[in-house]
Amino acid sequence: MKHLLAGMNSSVLTMACLRFVSSFIEFVAAILIFTSNDVKKALMINSLLALVGPLVMVSSFTIGLVAVADQLSFGKIALIAVGVIMILVGVFK
């Protein structure tokens, strides 16, 4: 495993770790929903997950954009930012 990570880009590694943490949180939430056996508790857990997903997405996007910012024009970065904002508006409205 050490050799696999040796040549990996730190931004890619960080983005992947964020996704692993996110999936772990989702897995734990699924177990909590299953073991609670209560619709109200399940809805509460799901509402908390609605915050985790966008936070992980924005964090991952930010890390990726910072890594490639020198390769993109300001216009392309602005378009990506507008796209992320539109996704967040769609999720929260």
Side-chain angles (χ1 to χ4, degrees):
M1 181 81 162
K2 186 176 181 180
H3 296 287
L4 175 68
L5 300 178
M8 185 167 269
N9 182 308
S10 63
S11 296
V12 172
L13 181 61
T14 305
M15 291 169 73
C17 286
L18 275 171
R19 288 297 173 182
F20 278 124
V21 169
S22 176
S23 64
F24 179 74
I25 292 169
E26 295 266 351
F27 184 71
V28 170
I31 291 171
L32 290 173
I33 289 170
F34 184 71
T35 57
S36 73
N37 196 27
D38 181 21
V39 174
K40 290 180 183 179
K41 288 180 184 176
L43 285 172
M44 184 180 70
I45 293 168
N46 272 327
S47 67
L48 292 174
L49 286 176
L51 295 174
V52 173
L55 287 175
V56 170
M57 181 193 70
V58 168
S59 299
S60 186
F61 266 113
T62 302
I63 292 166
L65 282 177
V66 168
V68 298
D70 60 333
Q71 300 170 8
L72 295 176
S73 69
F74 179 75
K76 287 182 180 181
I77 292 174
L79 282 174
I80 293 169
V82 168
V84 170
I85 290 169
M86 292 176 80
I87 290 170
L88 292 174
V89 167
V91 167
F92 288 115
K93 293 240 177 191

